[in-house]
Amino acid sequence: MLAHAAEPGRQRGSLHAFLIASICTLARPGAVVDINVAPDRKQWWPGAPTIDLNPQGRTQNKKHRALVPVLPTLDRWLRAEYATFMNLEPAARPGRGWLVNYHGRPVQDVDRAWDTMLTTLEMPKGREWRSYLLQHSLATLARNRGATKWDLEGFMGHSDGSQTEVYAIGEFPSIVTALTGILADLEKLAPGAMHRSRTEQENAAAQTGVTKCKLNQ
């Protein structure tokens, strides 16, 4: 899926961003497409260790959206989108800043791109293969890699909103460890597909080369 979304020149940026954010946050599809770096949304800012999946002005409901750690992969994507946002003239910024976007504009879902991907990759279709499959599958993988029940419930917003959850901001160490391992495995399976663009991929490779040279000196 990642290799398909990251294929250069295919105009699959919204699907690519959706996959990355879904993997890094374990969020529901609706919360993923709602991620925005604009300061007035108060979800994230450069250097923030967490991202609030519940934007400013949205009332929490039974589908609770958590405050979760920002993994390095997601941080790179958020910073890139923030740079794009800040490069706009102030008058052009309202309505922009969406991580999952189509030419800068928000999208309600990635259903069409998702269906095209399933067809192209000759994968099964049907209700059980909708985009929320990512959350379910990744949660299972994380649990099998040692994520605790408490961390998983809090990270995915499945807690009941008790007073404990209101006052305790979790760091979710077992989830972070599990997802870091999953991301590393995905990078091996689809080299470069975790990067936002080929330029970023090349820069990362160059930096790795510089680091190796320094270590060998």
Short mmCIF file of all heavy atoms in Angstrom, two decimals, residues 3-46:
data_model
loop_
_atom_site.label_atom_id
_atom_site.label_comp_id
_atom_site.label_asym_id
_atom_site.label_seq_id
_atom_site.Cartn_x
_atom_site.Cartn_y
_atom_site.Cartn_z
N ALA A 3 4.02 1.61 -0.90
CA ALA A 3 4.77 1.74 -2.14
C ALA A 3 3.87 2.27 -3.25
O ALA A 3 4.29 3.09 -4.07
CB ALA A 3 5.37 0.39 -2.53
N HIS A 4 2.63 1.81 -3.29
CA HIS A 4 1.66 2.29 -4.28
C HIS A 4 1.40 3.78 -4.09
O HIS A 4 1.44 4.55 -5.05
CB HIS A 4 0.36 1.50 -4.12
CG HIS A 4 -0.80 2.06 -4.89
ND1 HIS A 4 -1.03 1.78 -6.22
CD2 HIS A 4 -1.79 2.92 -4.50
CE1 HIS A 4 -2.11 2.42 -6.62
NE2 HIS A 4 -2.60 3.12 -5.60
N ALA A 5 1.15 4.19 -2.85
CA ALA A 5 0.82 5.59 -2.58
C ALA A 5 2.00 6.52 -2.83
O ALA A 5 1.82 7.67 -3.22
CB ALA A 5 0.33 5.74 -1.15
N ALA A 6 3.21 6.00 -2.60
CA ALA A 6 4.41 6.84 -2.71
C ALA A 6 5.01 6.85 -4.11
O ALA A 6 6.00 7.55 -4.35
CB ALA A 6 5.47 6.35 -1.72
N GLU A 7 4.42 6.12 -5.03
CA GLU A 7 4.97 6.05 -6.39
C GLU A 7 5.03 7.44 -7.01
O GLU A 7 4.02 8.14 -7.07
CB GLU A 7 4.11 5.12 -7.25
CG GLU A 7 4.73 4.79 -8.60
CD GLU A 7 3.90 3.78 -9.38
OE1 GLU A 7 2.94 3.24 -8.81
OE2 GLU A 7 4.22 3.55 -10.56
N PRO A 8 6.20 7.88 -7.46
CA PRO A 8 6.36 9.24 -7.99
C PRO A 8 5.47 9.51 -9.20
O PRO A 8 5.23 8.63 -10.03
CB PRO A 8 7.84 9.29 -8.39
CG PRO A 8 8.50 8.23 -7.58
CD PRO A 8 7.48 7.13 -7.47
N GLY A 9 4.97 10.74 -9.28
CA GLY A 9 4.23 11.18 -10.45
C GLY A 9 2.83 10.62 -10.59
O GLY A 9 2.23 10.72 -11.66
N ARG A 10 2.27 10.07 -9.52
CA ARG A 10 0.96 9.43 -9.63
C ARG A 10 -0.17 10.20 -8.95
O ARG A 10 -1.29 9.73 -8.89
CB ARG A 10 1.03 8.01 -9.03
CG ARG A 10 1.91 7.06 -9.82
CD ARG A 10 1.32 6.79 -11.18
NE ARG A 10 2.07 5.77 -11.91
CZ ARG A 10 1.70 5.29 -13.09
NH1 ARG A 10 0.61 5.75 -13.67
NH2 ARG A 10 2.43 4.38 -13.69
N GLN A 11 0.12 11.37 -8.41
CA GLN A 11 -0.91 12.20 -7.78
C GLN A 11 -1.67 11.44 -6.69
O GLN A 11 -2.90 11.44 -6.65
CB GLN A 11 -1.89 12.71 -8.85
CG GLN A 11 -1.27 13.56 -9.93
CD GLN A 11 -0.72 14.88 -9.38
OE1 GLN A 11 -1.39 15.55 -8.61
NE2 GLN A 11 0.49 15.24 -9.77
N ARG A 12 -0.91 10.78 -5.83
CA ARG A 12 -1.52 10.01 -4.74
C ARG A 12 -1.15 10.59 -3.38
O ARG A 12 -1.12 9.88 -2.38
CB ARG A 12 -1.09 8.55 -4.83
CG ARG A 12 -1.57 7.85 -6.10
CD ARG A 12 -0.90 6.50 -6.30
NE ARG A 12 -1.31 5.89 -7.56
CZ ARG A 12 -0.64 4.91 -8.16
NH1 ARG A 12 0.47 4.44 -7.62
NH2 ARG A 12 -1.08 4.40 -9.30
N GLY A 13 -0.87 11.87 -3.34
CA GLY A 13 -0.40 12.51 -2.12
C GLY A 13 -1.37 12.41 -0.96
O GLY A 13 -0.96 12.20 0.18
N SER A 14 -2.66 12.56 -1.23
CA SER A 14 -3.64 12.49 -0.14
C SER A 14 -3.69 11.09 0.46
O SER A 14 -3.76 10.93 1.69
CB SER A 14 -5.03 12.92 -0.63
OG SER A 14 -5.46 12.11 -1.70
N LEU A 15 -3.65 10.08 -0.39
CA LEU A 15 -3.64 8.70 0.10
C LEU A 15 -2.36 8.41 0.88
O LEU A 15 -2.39 7.77 1.93
CB LEU A 15 -3.77 7.73 -1.07
CG LEU A 15 -3.72 6.23 -0.73
CD1 LEU A 15 -4.89 5.84 0.16
CD2 LEU A 15 -3.70 5.39 -2.01
N HIS A 16 -1.25 8.90 0.37
CA HIS A 16 0.05 8.70 1.02
C HIS A 16 0.04 9.30 2.43
O HIS A 16 0.41 8.65 3.42
CB HIS A 16 1.15 9.34 0.17
CG HIS A 16 2.52 8.91 0.54
ND1 HIS A 16 3.65 9.53 0.03
CD2 HIS A 16 2.98 7.94 1.38
CE1 HIS A 16 4.73 8.94 0.53
NE2 HIS A 16 4.35 7.98 1.35
N ALA A 17 -0.42 10.55 2.53
CA ALA A 17 -0.48 11.22 3.84
C ALA A 17 -1.43 10.49 4.78
O ALA A 17 -1.17 10.36 5.98
CB ALA A 17 -0.92 12.67 3.66
N PHE A 18 -2.54 10.02 4.23
CA PHE A 18 -3.52 9.29 5.04
C PHE A 18 -2.91 8.02 5.63
O PHE A 18 -3.10 7.72 6.81
CB PHE A 18 -4.73 8.94 4.18
CG PHE A 18 -5.78 8.12 4.89
CD1 PHE A 18 -6.73 8.74 5.69
CD2 PHE A 18 -5.81 6.74 4.76
CE1 PHE A 18 -7.69 7.99 6.36
CE2 PHE A 18 -6.76 5.99 5.42
CZ PHE A 18 -7.71 6.61 6.23
N LEU A 19 -2.17 7.28 4.82
CA LEU A 19 -1.55 6.05 5.29
C LEU A 19 -0.53 6.33 6.39
O LEU A 19 -0.51 5.66 7.43
CB LEU A 19 -0.89 5.32 4.13
CG LEU A 19 -1.81 4.71 3.07
CD1 LEU A 19 -1.00 4.14 1.92
CD2 LEU A 19 -2.70 3.62 3.67
N ILE A 20 0.32 7.33 6.17
CA ILE A 20 1.35 7.66 7.15
C ILE A 20 0.72 8.08 8.48
O ILE A 20 1.10 7.59 9.55
CB ILE A 20 2.25 8.80 6.62
CG1 ILE A 20 3.07 8.32 5.42
CG2 ILE A 20 3.17 9.31 7.73
CD1 ILE A 20 4.07 7.23 5.71
N ALA A 21 -0.25 8.98 8.42
CA ALA A 21 -0.88 9.46 9.65
C ALA A 21 -1.65 8.35 10.36
O ALA A 21 -1.67 8.28 11.59
CB ALA A 21 -1.81 10.63 9.34
N SER A 22 -2.27 7.47 9.59
CA SER A 22 -3.01 6.35 10.18
C SER A 22 -2.07 5.42 10.94
O SER A 22 -2.37 4.96 12.05
CB SER A 22 -3.75 5.57 9.10
OG SER A 22 -4.75 6.35 8.48
N ILE A 23 -0.93 5.13 10.34
CA ILE A 23 0.05 4.24 10.96
C ILE A 23 0.62 4.87 12.23
O ILE A 23 0.77 4.20 13.26
CB ILE A 23 1.19 3.92 9.98
CG1 ILE A 23 0.66 3.12 8.79
CG2 ILE A 23 2.31 3.14 10.68
CD1 ILE A 23 1.63 3.03 7.63
N CYS A 24 0.91 6.15 12.18
CA CYS A 24 1.58 6.83 13.29
C CYS A 24 0.65 7.18 14.45
O CYS A 24 1.12 7.43 15.57
CB CYS A 24 2.26 8.10 12.80
SG CYS A 24 3.68 7.80 11.72
N THR A 25 -0.65 7.23 14.20
CA THR A 25 -1.59 7.65 15.25
C THR A 25 -2.60 6.58 15.64
O THR A 25 -3.26 6.71 16.69
CB THR A 25 -2.38 8.89 14.83
OG1 THR A 25 -3.22 8.57 13.71
CG2 THR A 25 -1.44 10.04 14.45
N LEU A 26 -2.78 5.55 14.83
CA LEU A 26 -3.82 4.54 15.05
C LEU A 26 -5.21 5.17 15.13
O LEU A 26 -6.12 4.63 15.75
CB LEU A 26 -3.56 3.73 16.33
CG LEU A 26 -2.29 2.89 16.40
CD1 LEU A 26 -2.29 2.06 17.68
CD2 LEU A 26 -2.17 1.98 15.20
N ALA A 27 -5.36 6.33 14.50
CA ALA A 27 -6.63 7.06 14.60
C ALA A 27 -7.66 6.55 13.61
O ALA A 27 -7.32 5.92 12.60
CB ALA A 27 -6.39 8.55 14.36
N ARG A 28 -8.92 6.83 13.89
CA ARG A 28 -9.99 6.53 12.96
C ARG A 28 -9.83 7.40 11.71
O ARG A 28 -9.29 8.50 11.77
CB ARG A 28 -11.35 6.79 13.60
CG ARG A 28 -11.62 5.97 14.86
CD ARG A 28 -12.96 6.36 15.48
NE ARG A 28 -13.21 5.63 16.72
CZ ARG A 28 -12.81 6.03 17.92
NH1 ARG A 28 -12.14 7.18 18.04
NH2 ARG A 28 -13.07 5.31 19.00
N PRO A 29 -10.34 6.94 10.56
CA PRO A 29 -10.19 7.71 9.33
C PRO A 29 -10.66 9.16 9.45
O PRO A 29 -10.02 10.08 8.93
CB PRO A 29 -11.04 6.93 8.32
CG PRO A 29 -10.95 5.52 8.80
CD PRO A 29 -10.96 5.62 10.30
N GLY A 30 -11.78 9.38 10.14
CA GLY A 30 -12.30 10.74 10.28
C GLY A 30 -11.35 11.65 11.03
O GLY A 30 -11.24 12.85 10.72
N ALA A 31 -10.66 11.10 12.03
CA ALA A 31 -9.69 11.91 12.79
C ALA A 31 -8.44 12.18 11.97
O ALA A 31 -7.82 13.24 12.08
CB ALA A 31 -9.33 11.19 14.08
N VAL A 32 -8.06 11.22 11.13
CA VAL A 32 -6.86 11.38 10.31
C VAL A 32 -7.04 12.52 9.30
O VAL A 32 -6.16 13.38 9.16
CB VAL A 32 -6.52 10.07 9.58
CG1 VAL A 32 -5.39 10.29 8.56
CG2 VAL A 32 -6.11 9.00 10.58
N VAL A 33 -8.16 12.55 8.60
CA VAL A 33 -8.36 13.61 7.60
C VAL A 33 -8.63 14.95 8.26
O VAL A 33 -8.65 15.99 7.59
CB VAL A 33 -9.52 13.26 6.63
CG1 VAL A 33 -9.19 12.00 5.85
CG2 VAL A 33 -10.85 13.13 7.36
N ASP A 34 -8.80 14.96 9.58
CA ASP A 34 -9.06 16.20 10.32
C ASP A 34 -7.78 16.83 10.87
O ASP A 34 -7.84 17.89 11.50
CB ASP A 34 -10.01 15.91 11.48
CG ASP A 34 -11.07 16.99 11.65
OD1 ASP A 34 -11.22 17.82 10.74
OD2 ASP A 34 -11.75 17.00 12.69
N ILE A 35 -6.64 16.21 10.65
CA ILE A 35 -5.37 16.76 11.16
C ILE A 35 -4.99 18.00 10.36
O ILE A 35 -4.93 17.97 9.13
CB ILE A 35 -4.25 15.71 11.08
CG1 ILE A 35 -4.54 14.54 12.02
CG2 ILE A 35 -2.90 16.34 11.41
CD1 ILE A 35 -3.55 13.39 11.91
N ASN A 36 -4.72 19.08 11.08
CA ASN A 36 -4.39 20.35 10.45
C ASN A 36 -3.31 21.05 11.27
O ASN A 36 -3.36 21.04 12.50
CB ASN A 36 -5.65 21.22 10.37
CG ASN A 36 -5.47 22.45 9.51
OD1 ASN A 36 -4.64 23.30 9.79
ND2 ASN A 36 -6.27 22.57 8.45
N VAL A 37 -2.34 21.65 10.59
CA VAL A 37 -1.21 22.29 11.28
C VAL A 37 -1.42 23.78 11.51
O VAL A 37 -0.55 24.44 12.08
CB VAL A 37 0.10 22.08 10.49
CG1 VAL A 37 0.42 20.59 10.36
CG2 VAL A 37 0.03 22.74 9.11
N ALA A 38 -2.55 24.34 11.08
CA ALA A 38 -2.80 25.76 11.29
C ALA A 38 -2.82 26.07 12.79
O ALA A 38 -3.46 25.34 13.56
CB ALA A 38 -4.12 26.17 10.66
N PRO A 39 -2.14 27.12 13.23
CA PRO A 39 -2.07 27.43 14.66
C PRO A 39 -3.42 27.56 15.35
O PRO A 39 -3.57 27.18 16.52
CB PRO A 39 -1.30 28.76 14.69
CG PRO A 39 -0.44 28.71 13.47
CD PRO A 39 -1.29 28.03 12.43
N ASP A 40 -4.44 28.09 14.65
CA ASP A 40 -5.72 28.29 15.31
C ASP A 40 -6.45 26.98 15.61
O ASP A 40 -7.40 26.96 16.39
CB ASP A 40 -6.62 29.22 14.49
CG ASP A 40 -6.98 28.65 13.12
OD1 ASP A 40 -6.27 27.74 12.65
OD2 ASP A 40 -7.96 29.12 12.53
N ARG A 41 -5.99 25.89 15.02
CA ARG A 41 -6.59 24.58 15.31
C ARG A 41 -6.07 24.00 16.62
O ARG A 41 -6.68 23.13 17.21
CB ARG A 41 -6.29 23.61 14.17
CG ARG A 41 -6.87 24.02 12.83
CD ARG A 41 -8.22 23.46 12.62
NE ARG A 41 -8.19 22.00 12.51
CZ ARG A 41 -9.25 21.28 12.16
NH1 ARG A 41 -10.39 21.87 11.90
NH2 ARG A 41 -9.16 19.97 12.07
N LYS A 42 -4.89 24.45 17.02
CA LYS A 42 -4.27 24.04 18.29
C LYS A 42 -4.13 22.52 18.41
O LYS A 42 -4.33 21.94 19.47
CB LYS A 42 -5.07 24.59 19.48
CG LYS A 42 -5.10 26.11 19.52
CD LYS A 42 -5.81 26.64 20.75
CE LYS A 42 -5.78 28.17 20.76
NZ LYS A 42 -6.46 28.73 21.96
N GLN A 43 -3.76 21.90 17.29
CA GLN A 43 -3.53 20.45 17.31
C GLN A 43 -2.05 20.12 17.48
O GLN A 43 -1.70 19.15 18.15
CB GLN A 43 -4.05 19.81 16.02
CG GLN A 43 -5.56 19.78 15.91
CD GLN A 43 -6.03 18.99 14.70
OE1 GLN A 43 -6.14 19.53 13.60
NE2 GLN A 43 -6.31 17.71 14.90
N TRP A 44 -1.20 20.94 16.85
CA TRP A 44 0.23 20.66 16.84
C TRP A 44 0.97 21.93 16.46
O TRP A 44 0.42 22.81 15.80
CB TRP A 44 0.52 19.55 15.82
CG TRP A 44 1.98 19.29 15.58
CD1 TRP A 44 2.79 18.42 16.26
CD2 TRP A 44 2.81 19.90 14.58
NE1 TRP A 44 4.06 18.46 15.75
CE2 TRP A 44 4.10 19.36 14.72
CE3 TRP A 44 2.59 20.86 13.59
CZ2 TRP A 44 5.16 19.74 13.90
CZ3 TRP A 44 3.64 21.25 12.78
CH2 TRP A 44 4.91 20.68 12.94
N TRP A 45 2.22 22.03 16.91
CA TRP A 45 3.09 23.12 16.47
C TRP A 45 4.50 22.55 16.38
O TRP A 45 4.81 21.52 17.02
CB TRP A 45 3.04 24.30 17.44
CG TRP A 45 3.46 23.97 18.84
CD1 TRP A 45 4.71 24.05 19.39
CD2 TRP A 45 2.61 23.46 19.89
NE1 TRP A 45 4.71 23.64 20.69
CE2 TRP A 45 3.42 23.27 21.03
CE3 TRP A 45 1.25 23.16 19.97
CZ2 TRP A 45 2.92 22.79 22.23
CZ3 TRP A 45 0.76 22.67 21.17
CH2 TRP A 45 1.58 22.50 22.27
N PRO A 46 5.38 23.15 15.60
CA PRO A 46 6.73 22.60 15.43
C PRO A 46 7.44 22.40 16.77
O PRO A 46 7.50 23.31 17.59
CB PRO A 46 7.44 23.67 14.58
CG PRO A 46 6.33 24.29 13.80
CD PRO A 46 5.17 24.34 14.74
#
